[in-house]
């Protein structure tokens, strides 16, 4: 009971942070609207990339246009959710360099909660709108029958994927404790994961699949549950495959803890 | 009760000469120098005391504050505040302290001050009744009523500092750390801050640890002064001790700033 109460309290506090973030963003109306529109438009370029390719080819390794589009919409949604909620990790190098992490440490709350709360990126709604548009199109055009199991699969994929990208942002942030600066190579895993993820992972061959299972578990939130979603497999357990992110997230959390313990404050 | 015993802290500072070539070399091999920020520091502070913690820039003041507030872990030595070790029981410890960093803001930049306060209420889980009582008192004493509805970015430095101090006291901490609270303030704001801190100490028995370069702050606020230089405690006494130790060579009395400058030079800690 007590744990549940604590959790509910943390969630309430988190949404208080979110509300302040949104209120802050609304102070700059023009900037907010332009950012949301920009986010919406940017993703169109990737969409057109897929669209034009399918004007030349009807299949990519057996996947149809609608199937790839569904995959892309899911990955885009996963990534946007992670960016919206875990933006605090993504911009963490600035937090450390400006010495703002000191303030986080003198408050009686978990560091993760405070870092996540410090930045909530409402503008990512633009990119989500794009993902929703594609969803709407795919749902109306594709032959996928939306059984309760498939809807569950979809929800699990979105949650697991958002968690996976969030965990990658957390590792990125943990490195800032040692370098005081963001390491751009991590973007290969985050932005790269999003760009590669627009096609089902098996089209890239064996090596990429191995990497996506053993190193960064993209496959458990994309390729495997997608097989169930597209009716290529009937194994209902694939719906819960995205839970495979949990051990990975736990390791990322340990990295973070270690980073915090090694924190050297900057400035006076 | 704050007990600091034999605390040492060393930083590794990167060394390199100026220029592009040196910057390039430093990518591959770096030379580090060990800087002893704190070297066997010990002191005890009783409940309700007001301490002026002074020393030249780089003496180790901020490092001490950061260790006491649980931000940094010392290399050796022990610290207990009301029986707790700051960096081990961080969450329990920080519930009972307040920290004001004069050079950094803890208020949200674009929204009214009161919104930041309400977030703090939830962060510290202050009961509603107690929150209203504390806020009311702070609003009156620091003359905040006009400021609470203003976004932080539109406040003057003096107004902002009053809001910062109130933010650090909403949860009624037992210990208050003030790190250069009057830096850059005009005379009126400085006096307002000093009067408020004195009153807070007298009426709530809050322990206050103040670092500043402003000798008037120290003489107005602190009965006890701890002087630190090159990571060592050099003097633990009263403002009169500083005056006496820092007197001009002829022996005639001088103003406090001059006395401190003399003292720093004599102790060779600049």
């Amino acid at each position: 009971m007590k744990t549940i109460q604590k959790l509910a309290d943390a969630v309430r506090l988190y949404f208080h942070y979110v509300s302040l973030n949104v209120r802050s963003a609304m102070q700059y109306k023009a900037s907010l609207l332009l950012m949301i529109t920009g986010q919406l438009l940017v993703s169109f370029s990737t969409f057109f990339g897929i669209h034009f390719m399918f004007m030349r080819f009807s299949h990519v390794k057996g996947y149809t246009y609608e199937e790839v589009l569904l995959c892309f919409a899911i990955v885009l949604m996963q990534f946007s959710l992670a960016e919206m909620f875990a933006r605090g990790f993504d911009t963490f190098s600035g937090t450390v360099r400006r010495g703002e992490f000191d303030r986080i440490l003198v408050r009686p709350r978990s560091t993760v909660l405070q870092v996540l709360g410090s930045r909530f990126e409402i503008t990512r709604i633009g990119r989500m709108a794009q993902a929703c548009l594609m969803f709407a199109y795919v749902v109306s055009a594709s032959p996928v029958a939306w059984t309760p199991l498939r809807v569950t699969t979809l929800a699990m994929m979105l949650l697991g994927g958002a968690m996976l990208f969030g965990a990658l942002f957390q590792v990125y942030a943990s490195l800032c404790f040692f370098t005081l600066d963001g390491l751009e190579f991590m973007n290969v895993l985050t932005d790269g994961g999003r760009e590669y993820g627009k096609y089902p992972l098996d089209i890239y061959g064996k090596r990429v699949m191995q990497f996506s299972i053993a190193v960064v578990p993209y496959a458990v939130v994309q390729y495997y549950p997608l097989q169930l979603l597209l009716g290529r497999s009937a194994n209902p357990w694939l719906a819960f495959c995205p839970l495979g992110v949990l051990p990975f997230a736990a390791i990322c959390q340990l990295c973070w803890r270690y980073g915090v313990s090694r924190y050297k404050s900057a400035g006076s | 009760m704050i007990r600091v015993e034999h605390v040492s802290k060393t930083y590794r500072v990167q060394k390199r000469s100026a220029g592009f070539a040196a910057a390039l070399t430093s990518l591959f091999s770096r030379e580090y120098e060990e800087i002893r920020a704190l070297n066997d520091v010990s002191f005890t502070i009783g409940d309700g005391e007001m301490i002026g913690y002074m020393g030249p820039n780089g003496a180790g003041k901020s490092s001490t504050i950061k260790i006491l507030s649980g931000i940094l872990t010392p290399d050796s030595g022990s610290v207990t505040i009301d029986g707790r070790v700051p960096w081990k029981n961080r969450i329990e410890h920080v519930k009972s302290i307040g920290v004001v960093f004069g050079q950094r803001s803890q208020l949200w930049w674009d929204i009214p001050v009161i919104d930041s306060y309400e977030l703090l209420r939830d962060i510290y889980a202050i009961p509603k009744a107690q929150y209203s009582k504390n806020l009311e008192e702070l609003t009156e004493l620091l003359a905040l009523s006009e400021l609470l509805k203003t976004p932080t970015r539109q406040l003057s430095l003096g107004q902002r500092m009053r809001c910062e101090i109130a933010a650090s006291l909403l949860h009624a901490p037992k210990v208050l750390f003030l790190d250069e609270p009057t830096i850059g303030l005009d005379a009126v704001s400085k006096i307002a801050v000093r009067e408020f801190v004195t009153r807070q100490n007298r009426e709530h028995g809050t322990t206050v640890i103040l670092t500043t370069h402003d000798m008037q702050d120290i003489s107005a606020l602190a009965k006890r002064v701890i002087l630190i230089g090159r990571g060592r405690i050099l003097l633990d006494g009263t403002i009169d001790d500083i005056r006496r130790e820092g007197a001009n060579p002829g022996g005639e009395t001088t103003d406090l700033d001059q006395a401190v400058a003399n003292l720093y030079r004599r102790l060779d800690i600049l």
Side-chain angles (χ1 to χ4, degrees):
Chain A
M1 253 338 262
K2 223 174 165 196
T3 346
I4 294 175
Q5 223 166 36
K6 258 189 175 171
L7 197 68
D9 185 47
V11 171
R12 204 172 321 124
L13 178 61
Y14 177 74
F15 281 101
H16 196 158
Y17 270 110
V18 168
S19 138
L20 293 204
N21 272 291
V22 175
R23 272 182 261 175
S24 296
M26 286 193 304
Q27 289 285 311
Y28 304 94
K29 259 181 237 154
S31 160
L32 178 67
L33 289 176
L34 285 174
M35 281 287 281
I36 292 178
T37 321
Q39 290 286 332
L40 176 68
L41 294 180
V42 150
S43 309
F44 268 108
S45 61
T46 320
F47 165 72
F48 283 128
I50 297 175
H51 185 76
F52 290 135
M53 205 171 82
F54 275 94
M55 284 170 72
R56 304 284 308 267
F57 311 99
S58 59
H59 292 276
V60 174
K61 209 177 175 197
Y63 292 101
T64 65
Y65 177 58
E66 278 79 18
E67 286 173 334
V68 170
L69 221 48
L70 178 64
C71 178
F72 177 45
I74 292 172
V75 172
L76 189 64
M77 191 63 133
Q78 293 170 336
F79 187 81
S80 314
L81 281 169
E83 257 200 333
M84 189 159 172
F85 288 100
R87 183 74 169 160
F89 282 138
D90 201 17
T91 56
F92 190 67
S93 62
T95 309
V96 167
R97 255 183 303 172
R98 285 189 298 270
E100 286 166 13
F101 195 65
D102 288 2
R103 181 52 74 186
I104 286 177
L105 284 174
V106 300
R107 286 184 175 157
R109 290 289 178 162
S110 96
T111 50
V112 172
L113 174 67
Q114 292 185 72
V115 172
L116 291 182
S118 67
R119 267 313 263 286
F120 172 84
E121 201 67 54
I122 187 72
T123 56
R124 292 305 183 268
I125 278 192
R127 221 183 263 173
M128 287 186 195
Q130 161 93 57
C132 289
L133 281 177
M134 281 192 290
F135 263 130
Y137 171 74
V138 172
V139 168
S140 64
S142 79
V144 173
W146 289 97
T147 60
L149 181 67
R150 289 219 169 100
V151 174
T152 313
T153 313
L154 180 65
M156 291 294 287
M157 284 173 86
L158 292 181
L159 278 176
M163 195 175 203
L164 174 63
F165 283 115
L168 286 171
F169 287 138
Q170 190 180 19
V171 173
Y172 175 76
S174 308
L175 291 172
C176 298
F177 288 115
F178 304 97
T179 60
L180 286 186
D181 212 340
L183 293 175
E184 295 294 324
F185 79 81
M186 279 295 293
N187 292 352
V188 174
L189 297 179
T190 52
D191 294 328
R194 183 194 66 212
E195 290 302 313
Y196 273 94
K198 65 192 175 194
Y199 293 105
L201 289 168
D202 57 334
I203 72 159
Y204 300 108
K206 214 170 93 192
R207 285 287 154 80
V208 172
M209 270 306 267
Q210 284 167 343
F211 180 85
S212 315
I213 294 167
V215 186
V216 180
Y218 297 116
V220 303
V221 298
Q222 201 239 34
Y223 174 73
Y224 290 111
L226 198 65
Q227 301 306 304
L228 179 64
L229 211 55
L230 299 179
R232 288 161 182 248
S233 161
N235 182 356
W237 291 107
L238 286 178
F240 300 97
C241 199
L243 290 176
V245 171
L246 289 174
F248 181 74
I251 294 171
C252 298
Q253 172 70 13
L254 287 180
C255 288
W256 172 258
R257 288 243 180 116
Y258 181 67
V260 172
S261 75
R262 295 291 305 274
Y263 174 63
K264 297 181 202 72
S265 166
S268 58
Chain B
M1 178 79 125
I2 300 174
R3 201 186 290 274
V4 177
E5 281 166 345
H6 309 295
V7 163
S8 295
K9 177 83 189 171
T10 308
Y11 294 110
R12 273 186 354 151
V13 178
Q14 202 198 115
K15 280 281 185 193
R16 74 169 157 80
S17 346
F20 186 75
L24 206 59
T25 326
S26 81
L27 277 178
F28 303 101
S29 82
R30 290 182 181 180
E31 278 179 44
Y32 290 97
E33 191 180 36
E34 302 243 304
I35 303 255
R36 301 211 90 176
L38 296 176
N39 190 353
D40 196 24
V41 166
S42 303
F43 55 81
T44 308
I45 297 172
D47 287 342
E49 273 197 86
M50 279 224 263
I51 304 290
Y53 196 57
M54 54 181 285
N57 293 323
K61 296 191 299 294
S62 288
S63 298
T64 314
I65 298 285
K66 283 174 183 171
I67 287 173
L68 291 180
S69 51
I71 296 169
L72 287 178
T73 311
D75 300 333
S76 61
S78 71
V79 176
T80 53
I81 298 181
D82 289 330
R84 283 188 284 265
V85 179
W87 58 92
K88 284 195 183 134
N89 317 51
R90 182 183 75 81
I91 289 191
E92 276 310 303
H93 168 64
V94 298
K95 278 181 189 164
S96 62
I97 65 167
V99 190
V100 176
F101 296 113
Q103 317 223 42
R104 287 183 209 148
S105 180
Q106 63 164 318
L107 303 169
W108 288 59
W109 195 241
D110 291 315
I111 49 176
V113 174
I114 188 74
D115 285 353
S116 295
Y117 285 3
E118 282 175 3
L119 181 68
L120 285 170
R121 179 194 67 205
D122 285 0
I123 287 176
Y124 286 95
I126 311 170
K128 280 236 162 68
Q130 205 205 329
Y131 169 77
S132 338
K133 188 173 144 275
N134 292 352
L135 181 61
E136 205 174 300
E137 188 188 325
L138 291 164
T139 307
E140 194 197 313
L141 294 178
L142 287 162
L144 302 181
S145 52
E146 298 294 308
L147 310 179
L148 290 179
K149 289 188 180 136
T150 316
T152 308
R153 68 182 138 92
Q154 287 170 1
L155 297 176
S156 74
L157 187 59
Q159 291 171 330
R160 207 189 79 204
M161 189 51 65
R162 271 146 57 203
C163 294
E164 297 278 351
I165 291 176
S168 298
L169 288 169
L170 284 171
H171 59 294
K174 282 183 66 186
V175 184
L176 177 64
F177 296 99
L178 296 169
D179 195 1
E180 309 199 27
T182 57
I183 195 161
L185 299 193
D186 61 36
V188 178
S189 304
K190 270 187 194 177
I191 289 171
V193 167
R194 282 178 204 149
E195 280 177 358
F196 172 77
V197 173
T198 314
R199 199 186 158 118
Q200 180 72 21
N201 169 264
R202 195 178 57 226
E203 296 191 352
H204 295 273
T206 312
T207 310
V208 179
I209 293 152
L210 165 87
T211 78
T212 179
H213 294 291
D214 188 324
M215 289 315 296
Q216 285 169 323
D217 278 353
I218 300 242
S219 62
L221 289 174
K223 291 193 193 72
R224 181 176 159 202
V225 180
I226 296 177
L227 172 68
I228 184 170
R230 294 193 197 275
R232 285 175 182 281
I233 302 280
L234 299 168
L235 188 149
D236 185 344
T238 62
I239 210 83
D240 289 331
D241 292 330
I242 301 270
R243 265 208 188 89
R244 197 171 48 245
E245 299 281 324
N248 282 336
E252 78 272 26
T253 48
T254 174
D255 73 277
L256 210 43
D257 277 320
Q258 186 61 46
V260 170
N262 289 342
L263 192 56
Y264 285 179
R265 273 191 221 109
R266 200 165 302 156
L267 294 166
D268 189 28
I269 53 174
L270 281 177

